[in-house]
Amino acid sequence: MSILTPEILSELEKQAIELPSWAFGNSGTRFRVFGTPGTPRDPFEKIADAAQVHEHTALAPSVALHIPWDTCDFGDLRKHAEDLGMTLGTVNSNTFQDEDYKFGALTHEDAAVRRKAIDHHLACIDVMDATGSRDLKIWLAEGSNYPGQADMRGRQDRLNESLREIYARLGDDQRLVLEYKFFEPAFYHTDVPDWGTSYAQVSTLGEKAMVCLDTGHHAPGTNIEFIVMQLLRLGKLGSFDFNSRFYADDDLIVGAADPFQLFRILFEVVRGGGLNNPDVAFMLDQCHNIEDKIPGQIRSVLNVQEMTARALLVDREALTAAQRSGDVLGANAVFMDAFYTDVRPALAEWRESRGLPADPMAAFAASGYLERIAADRVGGVQAGWGA
Ligand code: PSV
Ligand code: MN
């Protein structure tokens, strides 16, 4: 008998993780962006690569777009995605790569710059209308570098005004998710640095505004699962950007840096009713600096699946009993037993029973897809940050 019960398997079967289109383009650090043979030259090729992740895992049926990086005919892109069995997901705005935004965008002192930034978001909502996307994700690279440089209070007020205008344009079935990040590119203050600020802002907008939690956007040592618990409790956890980090916003493969932290986060997701809950979108925000992009994404979605399985294995009854009776070590043992359970053989068997490869990494490597795109995608400009 498999260690994964039919109840657990039915939860795992419903799991869907959105891939970031930008993961398939070239990325790097501020020192160097490395190219890879076969890197997509346009959004159509990015979607084709994302479809490979889904084909081998049945875990990743949608792709998030970044505007303007993925600008194209969105009707055609939608059709292309649907032909490949994929959908277009979250639309990410970008107010961090334009000269006018040096001192801010939605918070800028100058009304003309704010207008331009708001209009960009309204254009993103037009994209959502064309792609059928539900969520607009806003991450703002806004803040200041020196004490006294900026009126932090005024910026918070202007941010709220700008967000209200964007929110007002959302359709009935559309949402806005506001992502926070504690620093970078600003080094002294950031306008949306933490979940509390994001929550304070989105709470004034309405029900269709939620918080986006990027797992790489906290100070070292932050108890991220506590934030997950609190946002779920408040009904304001709109989405995750999953990745992992050793130092700052490293954007590494999910679960690579701290698998136990991923387990703790997913346990709170399960505990708080966030698993397979349409209100809580699971996305990856991970960029590959040196590893092959498609298998990198396959590894990430499998890591999320494995840790979800382990989180579902926690004996909740035994845990609650131990918690209630003050059995500190007993409660911890129940928790750790699930974390230390190797679910990989059971997942491989289950995959095979569904007509999927037991080992998606090996199956993708054997498929020859990477060699094919390296041979076919000759000429043109490889996509990367800014394209
Ligand atoms: C910012 O660091 C971020 O996490 C946001 O989600 C951006 O949209 C994304 O990275 C891509 O640069
Ligand atoms: Mn992110």
Coordinates of all heavy atoms in Angstrom, one line a residue, residues 206-294:
G206 N -10.4 46.9 -1.5 CA -11.6 46.1 -1.6 C -11.3 44.6 -1.7 O -10.1 44.2 -1.7
E207 N -12.3 43.8 -1.9 CA -12.1 42.3 -1.9 C -11.3 41.8 -3.0 O -10.7 40.7 -2.8 CB -13.5 41.7 -2.0 CG -14.3 41.7 -0.7 CD -15.6 40.9 -0.8 OE1 -15.9 40.5 -1.9 OE2 -16.2 40.7 0.2
K208 N -11.2 42.5 -4.1 CA -10.5 41.9 -5.2 C -9.0 42.3 -5.1 O -8.2 42.0 -6.1 CB -11.0 42.5 -6.5 CG -12.4 42.0 -6.8 CD -13.0 42.5 -8.1 CE -13.2 44.0 -8.1 NZ -13.7 44.6 -9.4
A209 N -8.5 42.9 -4.0 CA -7.1 43.2 -3.9 C -6.5 42.3 -2.7 O -7.1 42.2 -1.7 CB -6.9 44.6 -3.5
M210 N -5.4 41.6 -3.1 CA -4.8 40.7 -2.1 C -3.3 40.9 -2.1 O -2.7 41.6 -2.9 CB -5.1 39.2 -2.7 CG -6.5 38.9 -3.1 SD -7.6 38.4 -1.7 CE -7.2 36.7 -1.6
V211 N -2.7 40.2 -1.1 CA -1.3 40.2 -1.0 C -0.6 39.1 -1.8 O -1.1 38.0 -1.8 CB -0.9 40.1 0.5 CG1 0.6 40.1 0.7 CG2 -1.5 41.2 1.3
C212 N 0.5 39.4 -2.4 CA 1.4 38.4 -3.0 C 2.6 38.2 -2.2 O 3.3 39.1 -1.9 CB 1.8 38.8 -4.5 SG 3.0 37.7 -5.2
L213 N 2.9 36.9 -1.8 CA 4.0 36.6 -1.0 C 5.1 35.9 -1.8 O 4.9 34.8 -2.3 CB 3.6 35.7 0.2 CG 4.6 35.3 1.3 CD1 3.9 34.9 2.5 CD2 5.6 34.3 0.8
D214 N 6.2 36.6 -2.1 CA 7.3 36.0 -2.8 C 8.3 35.5 -1.7 O 8.7 36.2 -0.8 CB 8.0 37.1 -3.6 CG 9.2 36.5 -4.4 OD1 10.0 35.8 -3.9 OD2 9.3 36.9 -5.6
T215 N 8.5 34.1 -1.7 CA 9.3 33.5 -0.6 C 10.7 34.1 -0.4 O 11.3 33.9 0.6 CB 9.3 32.0 -0.7 OG1 9.8 31.7 -2.0 CG2 7.9 31.4 -0.5
G216 N 11.2 34.7 -1.5 CA 12.6 35.3 -1.4 C 12.7 36.7 -0.9 O 13.7 37.3 -1.0
H217 N 11.6 37.3 -0.5 CA 11.5 38.7 -0.3 C 11.5 39.1 1.2 O 10.8 40.1 1.6 CB 10.3 39.3 -1.0 CG 10.5 39.4 -2.5 ND1 9.6 40.1 -3.3 CD2 11.5 39.0 -3.3 CE1 10.0 40.0 -4.5 NE2 11.1 39.3 -4.6
H218 N 12.1 38.3 2.1 CA 12.1 38.6 3.5 C 13.5 38.7 4.0 O 14.5 38.2 3.5 CB 11.4 37.5 4.3 CG 10.0 37.3 3.7 ND1 9.8 36.4 2.6 CD2 8.8 37.7 4.0 CE1 8.5 36.4 2.3 NE2 7.9 37.2 3.2
A219 N 13.7 39.4 5.2 CA 15.0 39.4 5.8 C 15.3 38.0 6.3 O 14.5 37.2 6.6 CB 14.9 40.4 7.0
P220 N 16.6 37.7 6.3 CA 17.0 36.4 6.8 C 16.5 36.1 8.2 O 16.4 37.0 9.0 CB 18.6 36.5 6.9 CG 18.9 37.6 5.9 CD 17.8 38.5 5.9
G221 N 16.0 34.9 8.4 CA 15.5 34.5 9.7 C 14.0 34.8 9.9 O 13.4 34.4 10.9
T222 N 13.4 35.5 8.9 CA 11.9 35.7 9.0 C 11.2 34.4 9.0 O 11.4 33.5 8.2 CB 11.5 36.6 7.8 OG1 12.2 37.8 7.8 CG2 10.0 36.9 7.9
N223 N 10.2 34.3 9.9 CA 9.3 33.2 10.0 C 8.2 33.3 8.9 O 7.1 33.9 9.1 CB 8.7 33.1 11.4 CG 7.8 31.8 11.6 OD1 7.3 31.3 10.6 ND2 7.7 31.4 12.8
I224 N 8.5 32.9 7.7 CA 7.6 33.1 6.6 C 6.3 32.3 6.7 O 5.2 32.8 6.4 CB 8.3 32.7 5.2 CG1 9.5 33.6 5.0 CG2 7.3 32.9 4.0 CD1 10.4 33.2 3.8
E225 N 6.3 31.2 7.4 CA 5.1 30.4 7.5 C 4.1 31.1 8.5 O 2.9 30.9 8.4 CB 5.4 29.0 8.0 CG 6.2 28.8 9.3 CD 7.7 28.8 9.1 OE1 8.2 29.4 8.0 OE2 8.4 28.2 9.9
F226 N 4.7 31.9 9.4 CA 3.8 32.7 10.2 C 3.0 33.7 9.4 O 1.8 33.9 9.6 CB 4.6 33.4 11.3 CG 3.8 34.3 12.2 CD1 3.2 33.7 13.4 CD2 3.5 35.6 12.0 CE1 2.4 34.5 14.2 CE2 2.7 36.4 12.8 CZ 2.1 35.8 13.9
I227 N 3.7 34.3 8.4 CA 3.0 35.3 7.5 C 1.9 34.6 6.7 O 0.8 35.1 6.5 CB 4.1 36.0 6.6 CG1 5.1 36.7 7.5 CG2 3.4 37.0 5.7 CD1 6.3 37.2 6.7
V228 N 2.3 33.4 6.2 CA 1.3 32.6 5.5 C 0.1 32.3 6.3 O -1.1 32.5 5.9 CB 2.0 31.3 5.0 CG1 0.9 30.3 4.4 CG2 3.1 31.5 4.0
M229 N 0.3 31.9 7.5 CA -0.8 31.6 8.4 C -1.7 32.9 8.6 O -2.9 32.8 8.5 CB -0.2 31.2 9.8 CG -1.2 31.0 10.9 SD -1.7 32.5 11.7 CE -0.2 33.0 12.5
Q230 N -1.0 34.0 8.9 CA -1.7 35.2 9.2 C -2.6 35.7 8.0 O -3.7 36.1 8.1 CB -0.8 36.3 9.7 CG -1.4 37.6 10.2 CD -2.1 37.3 11.5 OE1 -3.2 36.7 11.5 NE2 -1.5 37.7 12.6
L231 N -1.9 35.7 6.8 CA -2.7 36.2 5.6 C -3.8 35.3 5.3 O -4.9 35.7 4.8 CB -1.7 36.3 4.4 CG -0.7 37.5 4.5 CD1 0.3 37.5 3.4 CD2 -1.5 38.8 4.4
L232 N -3.6 34.0 5.5 CA -4.8 33.0 5.2 C -5.9 33.3 6.2 O -7.1 33.3 5.9 CB -4.3 31.6 5.3 CG -3.6 31.0 4.1 CD1 -2.9 29.7 4.4 CD2 -4.5 30.9 2.8
R233 N -5.5 33.5 7.4 CA -6.4 33.8 8.5 C -7.3 35.1 8.2 O -8.5 35.2 8.4 CB -5.7 34.0 9.8 CG -6.5 34.0 11.0 CD -5.6 34.2 12.2 NE -6.4 34.8 13.2 CZ -6.4 36.1 13.5 NH1 -5.5 36.9 12.8 NH2 -7.2 36.7 14.4
L234 N -6.6 36.0 7.6 CA -7.2 37.3 7.2 C -7.9 37.3 5.9 O -8.5 38.2 5.4 CB -6.2 38.4 7.2 CG -5.5 38.7 8.6 CD1 -4.3 39.6 8.4 CD2 -6.5 39.4 9.5
G235 N -7.8 36.1 5.2 CA -8.4 36.0 3.8 C -7.8 36.9 2.8 O -8.4 37.3 1.8
K236 N -6.5 37.2 3.0 CA -5.8 38.1 2.0 C -4.6 37.6 1.4 O -3.8 38.3 0.8 CB -5.4 39.4 2.8 CG -6.6 40.4 2.9 CD -7.0 41.0 1.6 CE -8.1 42.0 1.7 NZ -8.7 42.4 0.4
L237 N -4.4 36.2 1.4 CA -3.3 35.7 0.7 C -3.7 35.4 -0.7 O -4.4 34.4 -1.0 CB -2.7 34.4 1.4 CG -1.5 33.7 0.7 CD1 -0.3 34.7 0.7 CD2 -1.1 32.5 1.4
G238 N -3.3 36.2 -1.7 CA -3.8 36.1 -3.0 C -2.9 35.2 -3.8 O -3.4 34.4 -4.7
S239 N -1.6 35.2 -3.6 CA -0.7 34.4 -4.4 C 0.7 34.2 -3.8 O 1.1 35.0 -2.9 CB -0.6 34.9 -5.8 OG -0.1 36.3 -5.8
F240 N 1.3 33.2 -4.3 CA 2.7 33.0 -3.9 C 3.6 33.2 -5.1 O 3.2 32.8 -6.2 CB 2.9 31.5 -3.5 CG 2.6 31.2 -2.1 CD1 1.4 30.5 -1.9 CD2 3.4 31.4 -1.1 CE1 1.0 30.1 -0.6 CE2 3.1 31.1 0.2 CZ 1.9 30.4 0.5
D241 N 4.8 33.8 -4.9 CA 5.9 33.6 -5.9 C 6.9 32.7 -5.2 O 7.5 33.1 -4.2 CB 6.5 35.0 -6.1 CG 6.0 35.7 -7.3 OD1 4.9 35.3 -7.9 OD2 6.5 36.8 -7.7
F242 N 6.9 31.4 -5.6 CA 7.9 30.5 -5.0 C 9.2 30.6 -5.6 O 9.4 30.6 -6.8 CB 7.4 29.1 -5.1 CG 6.3 28.7 -4.1 CD1 5.0 28.5 -4.5 CD2 6.6 28.5 -2.8 CE1 4.0 28.2 -3.7 CE2 5.6 28.2 -1.9 CZ 4.3 28.0 -2.3
N243 N 10.2 30.6 -4.8 CA 11.6 30.4 -5.2 C 12.4 30.2 -4.0 O 11.8 30.0 -2.9 CB 12.1 31.7 -6.0 CG 11.9 33.0 -5.2 OD1 12.1 33.0 -4.0 ND2 11.3 34.0 -5.9
S244 N 13.7 30.1 -4.0 CA 14.4 30.0 -2.7 C 15.7 30.9 -2.7 O 16.1 31.3 -3.8 CB 14.8 28.5 -2.4 OG 15.8 28.0 -3.2
R245 N 16.2 31.1 -1.6 CA 17.3 32.0 -1.4 C 18.2 31.7 -0.3 O 17.8 31.1 0.7 CB 16.7 33.4 -1.2 CG 15.7 33.6 0.0 CD 16.3 33.5 1.4 NE 17.0 34.7 1.7 CZ 16.4 35.8 2.2 NH1 15.2 35.8 2.4 NH2 17.2 36.8 2.5
F246 N 19.5 32.0 -0.5 CA 20.5 31.8 0.6 C 20.7 33.2 1.2 O 21.0 33.3 2.4 CB 21.8 31.3 0.1 CG 21.7 29.8 -0.2 CD1 21.5 29.4 -1.6 CD2 21.8 28.8 0.7 CE1 21.5 28.1 -1.9 CE2 21.7 27.5 0.4 CZ 21.5 27.1 -0.9
Y247 N 20.7 34.3 0.4 CA 21.1 35.6 0.9 C 20.1 36.7 0.8 O 19.6 37.2 1.7 CB 22.4 36.0 0.3 CG 23.5 35.0 0.6 CD1 24.0 34.1 -0.4 CD2 24.1 35.0 1.8 CE1 25.0 33.2 -0.1 CE2 25.2 34.1 2.1 CZ 25.6 33.2 1.2 OH 26.5 32.3 1.5
A248 N 19.7 37.0 -0.5 CA 18.7 38.1 -0.7 C 17.6 37.6 -1.6 O 17.0 36.6 -1.3 CB 19.4 39.3 -1.2
D249 N 17.4 38.2 -2.7 CA 16.4 37.8 -3.6 C 17.0 36.9 -4.7 O 17.1 37.3 -5.8 CB 15.7 39.0 -4.2 CG 14.5 38.7 -5.1 OD1 13.9 37.6 -4.9 OD2 14.1 39.5 -5.9
D250 N 17.5 35.7 -4.3 CA 18.3 34.9 -5.1 C 17.6 34.2 -6.3 O 18.2 33.8 -7.3 CB 19.0 33.8 -4.3 CG 19.8 34.4 -3.1 OD1 19.9 35.6 -3.0 OD2 20.3 33.5 -2.3
D251 N 16.3 34.1 -6.2 CA 15.4 33.5 -7.2 C 15.9 32.1 -7.7 O 15.9 31.7 -8.8 CB 15.4 34.4 -8.5 CG 14.4 35.6 -8.3 OD1 13.5 35.5 -7.4 OD2 14.6 36.6 -9.0
L252 N 16.3 31.3 -6.7 CA 16.8 29.9 -7.0 C 15.7 28.9 -7.0 O 14.6 29.2 -6.7 CB 17.9 29.5 -6.0 CG 19.1 30.4 -5.9 CD1 20.0 29.9 -4.8 CD2 19.9 30.3 -7.2
I253 N 16.0 27.7 -7.5 CA 15.1 26.6 -7.5 C 14.3 26.4 -6.2 O 15.0 26.5 -5.1 CB 15.8 25.3 -8.0 CG1 16.1 25.4 -9.5 CG2 15.0 24.1 -7.7 CD1 16.9 24.3 -10.0
V254 N 13.0 26.3 -6.3 CA 12.2 26.2 -5.1 C 12.7 25.0 -4.2 O 12.9 23.9 -4.7 CB 10.7 26.0 -5.4 CG1 9.9 26.0 -4.2 CG2 10.3 27.0 -6.5
G255 N 12.9 25.3 -2.9 CA 13.2 24.2 -2.0 C 14.7 23.9 -2.1 O 15.2 23.0 -1.3
A256 N 15.5 24.6 -2.9 CA 16.9 24.2 -3.0 C 17.7 24.7 -1.8 O 18.5 24.0 -1.2 CB 17.5 24.9 -4.3
A257 N 17.4 25.9 -1.3 CA 18.1 26.5 -0.2 C 17.7 25.9 1.1 O 18.5 25.6 2.0 CB 18.0 28.0 -0.2
D258 N 16.4 25.7 1.3 CA 15.9 25.3 2.6 C 14.6 24.5 2.5 O 13.5 25.0 2.6 CB 15.6 26.6 3.5 CG 15.3 26.2 4.9 OD1 15.0 25.0 5.2 OD2 15.3 27.1 5.8
P259 N 14.8 23.2 2.2 CA 13.6 22.3 2.0 C 12.7 22.3 3.2 O 11.5 22.2 3.1 CB 14.2 20.9 1.7 CG 15.6 21.2 1.4 CD 16.0 22.5 2.0
F260 N 13.2 22.4 4.4 CA 12.4 22.4 5.6 C 11.5 23.6 5.7 O 10.4 23.5 6.1 CB 13.3 22.2 6.8 CG 12.6 22.1 8.1 CD1 11.4 21.3 8.2 CD2 13.1 22.7 9.3 CE1 10.8 21.2 9.4 CE2 12.4 22.6 10.5 CZ 11.2 21.8 10.6
Q261 N 12.1 24.7 5.3 CA 11.2 25.9 5.2 C 10.1 25.8 4.3 O 8.9 26.2 4.6 CB 12.1 27.2 4.9 CG 11.2 28.4 4.9 CD 12.0 29.6 4.3 OE1 12.4 29.6 3.1 NE2 12.2 30.6 5.1
L262 N 10.3 25.2 3.1 CA 9.3 24.9 2.1 C 8.2 24.0 2.8 O 7.0 24.3 2.6 CB 9.8 24.3 0.9 CG 8.9 24.0 -0.2 CD1 8.1 25.3 -0.7 CD2 9.6 23.3 -1.4
F263 N 8.6 23.0 3.5 CA 7.7 22.1 4.2 C 6.8 22.9 5.2 O 5.6 22.8 5.2 CB 8.5 21.0 4.9 CG 7.7 20.2 5.8 CD1 6.8 19.2 5.3 CD2 7.7 20.4 7.2 CE1 6.1 18.4 6.2 CE2 6.9 19.6 8.0 CZ 6.1 18.6 7.5
R264 N 7.5 23.8 6.0 CA 6.8 24.5 7.0 C 5.7 25.4 6.4 O 4.6 25.6 6.8 CB 7.7 25.3 7.9 CG 8.7 24.4 8.6 CD 9.5 25.1 9.7 NE 10.1 26.4 9.3 CZ 11.4 26.6 8.9 NH1 12.2 25.6 8.8 NH2 11.8 27.8 8.6
I265 N 6.1 26.1 5.2 CA 5.2 27.0 4.5 C 4.0 26.2 4.0 O 2.8 26.5 4.2 CB 5.9 27.7 3.4 CG1 6.9 28.7 3.9 CG2 4.9 28.4 2.4 CD1 7.8 29.3 2.9
L266 N 4.3 25.0 3.4 CA 3.2 24.3 2.8 C 2.3 23.6 3.9 O 1.1 23.5 3.7 CB 3.7 23.2 1.8 CG 4.3 23.9 0.5 CD1 5.1 22.9 -0.3 CD2 3.1 24.4 -0.3
F267 N 2.9 23.3 5.0 CA 2.0 22.9 6.1 C 1.0 23.9 6.5 O -0.2 23.6 6.7 CB 2.9 22.4 7.3 CG 2.0 22.0 8.5 CD1 1.2 20.8 8.4 CD2 1.8 22.9 9.6 CE1 0.4 20.5 9.5 CE2 0.9 22.6 10.6 CZ 0.2 21.4 10.5
E268 N 1.5 25.2 6.6 CA 0.5 26.3 7.0 C -0.5 26.5 5.9 O -1.6 26.9 6.2 CB 1.3 27.5 7.3 CG 2.0 27.5 8.7 CD 1.1 27.2 9.9 OE1 -0.1 27.5 9.8 OE2 1.6 26.5 10.8
V269 N -0.1 26.3 4.6 CA -1.0 26.4 3.5 C -2.1 25.3 3.7 O -3.3 25.7 3.6 CB -0.3 26.2 2.2 CG1 -1.4 26.1 1.0 CG2 0.6 27.4 1.9
V270 N -1.7 24.1 4.0 CA -2.7 23.0 4.2 C -3.6 23.3 5.4 O -4.8 23.3 5.4 CB -2.0 21.7 4.4 CG1 -3.0 20.6 4.8 CG2 -1.3 21.3 3.1
R271 N -2.9 23.7 6.5 CA -3.6 24.0 7.8 C -4.6 25.1 7.6 O -5.7 25.1 8.2 CB -2.5 24.3 8.8 CG -3.0 25.0 10.1 CD -3.8 24.1 11.0 NE -4.3 24.8 12.2 CZ -5.4 25.5 12.3 NH1 -6.2 25.6 11.3 NH2 -5.7 26.0 13.5
G272 N -4.3 26.1 6.8 CA -5.1 27.3 6.6 C -6.1 27.2 5.5 O -6.8 28.2 5.2
G273 N -6.2 26.1 4.8 CA -7.2 25.9 3.8 C -6.7 26.6 2.5 O -7.6 26.9 1.6
G274 N -5.4 26.8 2.3 CA -5.0 27.5 1.1 C -4.6 26.5 -0.1 O -4.3 27.0 -1.2
L275 N -4.6 25.2 0.2 CA -4.2 24.3 -0.9 C -5.4 24.0 -1.8 O -6.5 23.7 -1.4 CB -3.8 22.9 -0.2 CG -3.2 21.9 -1.3 CD1 -1.9 22.4 -1.9 CD2 -3.0 20.6 -0.6
N276 N -5.1 24.1 -3.1 CA -6.1 24.0 -4.1 C -7.3 24.9 -3.9 O -8.5 24.5 -4.2 CB -6.5 22.5 -4.2 CG -5.3 21.6 -4.6 OD1 -4.5 22.0 -5.3 ND2 -5.3 20.4 -4.0
N277 N -7.0 26.0 -3.3 CA -8.1 27.0 -3.1 C -7.9 28.1 -4.2 O -6.8 28.6 -4.3 CB -7.8 27.6 -1.7 CG -8.7 28.8 -1.4 OD1 -9.3 29.4 -2.3 ND2 -8.8 29.2 -0.1
P278 N -8.9 28.3 -5.0 CA -8.7 29.2 -6.2 C -8.3 30.6 -5.8 O -7.7 31.3 -6.6 CB -10.1 29.2 -6.9 CG -11.0 28.5 -5.9 CD -10.2 27.7 -5.0
D279 N -8.5 31.0 -4.5 CA -8.1 32.3 -4.1 C -6.6 32.4 -3.9 O -6.1 33.6 -3.8 CB -8.8 32.7 -2.8 CG -10.3 32.9 -2.9 OD1 -10.8 33.0 -4.1 OD2 -11.0 32.9 -1.9
V280 N -6.0 31.3 -3.8 CA -4.5 31.3 -3.5 C -3.7 30.8 -4.7 O -3.7 29.5 -4.8 CB -4.2 30.5 -2.2 CG1 -2.7 30.7 -1.8 CG2 -5.1 31.0 -1.0
A281 N -3.2 31.6 -5.5 CA -2.5 31.1 -6.7 C -1.1 30.7 -6.3 O -0.4 31.4 -5.6 CB -2.5 32.2 -7.8
F282 N -0.7 29.6 -6.8 CA 0.7 29.1 -6.7 C 1.5 29.4 -7.9 O 1.2 29.0 -9.0 CB 0.7 27.6 -6.5 CG 0.5 27.0 -5.1 CD1 -0.4 27.6 -4.3 CD2 1.3 25.9 -4.7 CE1 -0.5 27.1 -3.0 CE2 1.1 25.4 -3.4 CZ 0.2 26.0 -2.6
M283 N 2.5 30.3 -7.8 CA 3.3 30.6 -9.0 C 4.8 30.4 -8.6 O 5.1 30.5 -7.4 CB 3.1 32.1 -9.3 CG 1.7 32.5 -9.7 SD 1.6 34.2 -10.3 CE 1.8 35.1 -8.7
L284 N 5.6 30.3 -9.6 CA 7.0 30.3 -9.4 C 7.5 31.7 -9.8 O 7.0 32.2 -10.8 CB 7.7 29.2 -10.3 CG 7.3 27.8 -10.1 CD1 8.3 26.9 -10.9 CD2 7.3 27.3 -8.7
D285 N 8.5 32.2 -9.1 CA 9.2 33.4 -9.6 C 10.7 33.0 -9.5 O 11.3 33.4 -8.5 CB 8.8 34.6 -8.8 CG 9.6 35.9 -9.4 OD1 10.3 35.7 -10.4 OD2 9.5 36.9 -8.8
Q286 N 11.2 32.3 -10.5 CA 12.5 31.8 -10.3 C 13.2 32.0 -11.6 O 12.6 31.8 -12.7 CB 12.3 30.3 -10.1 CG 13.5 29.5 -10.0 CD 13.2 28.1 -10.3 OE1 12.1 27.6 -10.0 NE2 14.2 27.4 -10.8
C287 N 14.4 32.4 -11.6 CA 15.2 32.7 -12.8 C 16.4 31.8 -12.8 O 17.0 31.6 -11.7 CB 15.6 34.1 -12.9 SG 14.3 35.2 -13.3
H288 N 16.8 31.3 -13.9 CA 17.9 30.4 -14.0 C 19.2 31.1 -14.5 O 19.2 31.6 -15.6 CB 17.6 29.2 -14.9 CG 16.3 28.6 -14.5 ND1 16.2 27.8 -13.3 CD2 15.1 28.6 -15.0 CE1 15.0 27.4 -13.2 NE2 14.3 27.8 -14.2
N289 N 20.2 31.2 -13.6 CA 21.4 31.9 -14.1 C 22.3 31.0 -14.8 O 22.9 31.4 -15.8 CB 22.1 32.4 -12.8 CG 21.4 33.5 -12.1 OD1 20.3 33.9 -12.6 ND2 21.9 33.9 -11.0
I290 N 22.4 29.7 -14.3 CA 23.4 28.9 -14.9 C 22.9 27.5 -15.3 O 23.5 26.8 -16.1 CB 24.6 28.7 -13.9 CG1 24.1 28.3 -12.5 CG2 25.5 29.9 -13.8 CD1 25.2 27.9 -11.6
E291 N 21.8 27.1 -14.8 CA 21.2 25.8 -15.1 C 20.3 25.9 -16.3 O 19.8 26.9 -16.6 CB 20.5 25.2 -13.9 CG 19.2 25.9 -13.5 CD 19.4 27.0 -12.5 OE1 20.4 27.7 -12.6 OE2 18.5 27.2 -11.6
D292 N 20.0 24.7 -17.0 CA 19.1 24.7 -18.1 C 17.7 25.1 -17.5 O 17.3 24.6 -16.5 CB 19.0 23.3 -18.7 CG 20.3 23.1 -19.6 OD1 20.8 24.1 -20.1 OD2 20.7 21.9 -19.7
K293 N 17.0 25.9 -18.3 CA 15.8 26.5 -17.8 C 14.6 25.5 -17.7 O 13.9 25.5 -16.6 CB 15.4 27.7 -18.8 CG 16.5 28.7 -18.9 CD 16.3 29.6 -20.1 CE 17.6 30.1 -20.7 NZ 18.6 30.5 -19.8
I294 N 14.3 24.7 -18.7 CA 13.2 23.9 -18.6 C 13.3 22.8 -17.5 O 12.4 22.7 -16.6 CB 12.9 23.2 -20.0 CG1 12.6 24.3 -21.0 CG2 11.6 22.3 -19.9 CD1 12.5 23.8 -22.5

